[in-house]
Amino acid sequence: PDFLTREPGREEVIAALKMMGGKKAAGPSGLVVESIQKGGEVMQDLAWQYCRLAFRAGKLPDKAKMGVVFCLPKTEEAITSPSNIRPITMLEHLQLKLLTKVLMARINKVLSTHKGGILNPQQYAGVKGGSTIEPLFIRQAVAEQHSELGEEYHMFDGDISKAFDSCHQWSIEQCLWRLGWSKSAIDMVVGFTMGGRTKMLSGGWLT
């Protein structure tokens, strides 16, 4: 197996556990990450063994990818349309979030080691340590310079609504293939993240 798909060691899983923030809403099982972080070596060993089995299989059971959607109002006024609510999806901490934390730690390590060799140097967001502050300063400087010189300039700002939710499986697979990922690594990401189901929490009942 390659660097991304090999079974994680115990220290790697413990490091991922430490990076996970607390006080987050639990998924359908009700298990929160604090139970594992403060549960001693027994709970941490169980988490490690679960991660090993998941990476070995390269996929997760459908139940582990189930999310519960809870709708929060954006305003105190009457909700008259879906645009007035903010849906929050509550996912499993151990069965899903911990696994993706381990995987993302590996991806971030590769990106930091080969910075500029994988992604375009102009890719400011979406990577660890990246920020959109620098390009915003550049944008502002260009606008001010042209305004001072009285020169015409054209600028476009785009914001895609629900951008991450709009990505289809085939497009994600192609992007990972273009970045040089192995087929086994791509299949594992698909097995970890695709095919999940969601249920809506409404009136205290699940749909």
Side-chain angles (χ1 to χ4, degrees):
D2 59 26
F3 175 71
L4 291 176
T5 60
R6 61 174 173 78
E7 293 181 21
R10 189 179 189 279
E11 292 183 357
E12 187 177 10
V13 174
I14 299 303
L17 274 171
K18 292 179 179 179
M19 289 190 293
M20 295 180 68
K23 298 182 179 180
K24 303 291 185 180
S29 69
L31 179 66
V32 293
V33 69
E34 289 91 337
S35 300
I36 309 168
Q37 292 171 332
K38 301 177 182 179
E41 292 189 1
V42 173
M43 287 296 294
Q44 293 173 1
D45 281 339
L46 287 174
W48 170 44
Q49 294 299 337
Y50 176 82
C51 290
R52 287 185 60 198
L53 291 173
F55 272 83
R56 185 184 304 172
K59 59 183 179 180
L60 295 177
D62 291 340
K63 189 175 181 180
K65 294 181 283 187
M66 181 183 294
V68 176
V69 180
F70 184 78
C71 296
L72 300 176
K74 291 183 179 180
T75 174
E76 295 181 359
E77 300 177 0
I79 298 176
T80 57
S81 71
S83 62
N84 292 336
I85 60 174
R86 179 179 289 105
I88 304 296
T89 304
M90 296 177 287
L91 302 170
E92 293 291 356
H93 287 201
L94 167 62
Q95 296 170 282
L96 183 61
K97 287 187 175 182
L98 177 59
L99 285 170
T100 56
K101 182 67 72 173
V102 172
L103 183 60
M104 281 306 305
R106 293 180 177 183
I107 294 173
N108 287 330
K109 185 175 182 178
V110 173
L111 291 176
S112 62
T113 303
H114 303 281
K115 188 175 182 180
I118 299 178
L119 298 179
N120 190 300
Q122 296 181 352
Q123 176 68 38
Y124 293 96
V127 294
K128 187 175 182 179
S131 172
T132 57
I133 294 178
E134 183 177 348
L136 287 174
F137 273 120
I138 296 174
R139 174 187 180 280
Q140 184 65 25
V142 170
E144 291 178 355
Q145 181 183 33
H146 282 75
S147 296
E148 292 174 359
L149 297 176
E151 297 177 347
E152 181 180 357
Y153 68 96
H154 302 271
M155 194 170 292
F156 170 76
D157 290 327
D159 184 12
I160 304 176
S161 176
K162 299 179 177 61
F164 291 102
D165 297 331
S166 303
C167 294
H168 296 284
Q169 178 176 327
W170 66 266
S171 63
I172 295 175
E173 291 179 352
Q174 284 198 349
C175 288
L176 297 179
W177 173 81
R178 178 65 180 82
L179 289 173
W181 283 40
S182 65
K183 185 179 184 304
S184 59
I186 295 175
D187 290 343
M188 187 179 69
V189 169
V190 171
F192 280 5
T193 59
M194 300 296 175
R197 296 183 297 120
T198 57
K199 291 188 176 183
M200 183 75 71
L201 184 62
S202 177
W205 298 89
L206 288 174
T207 58

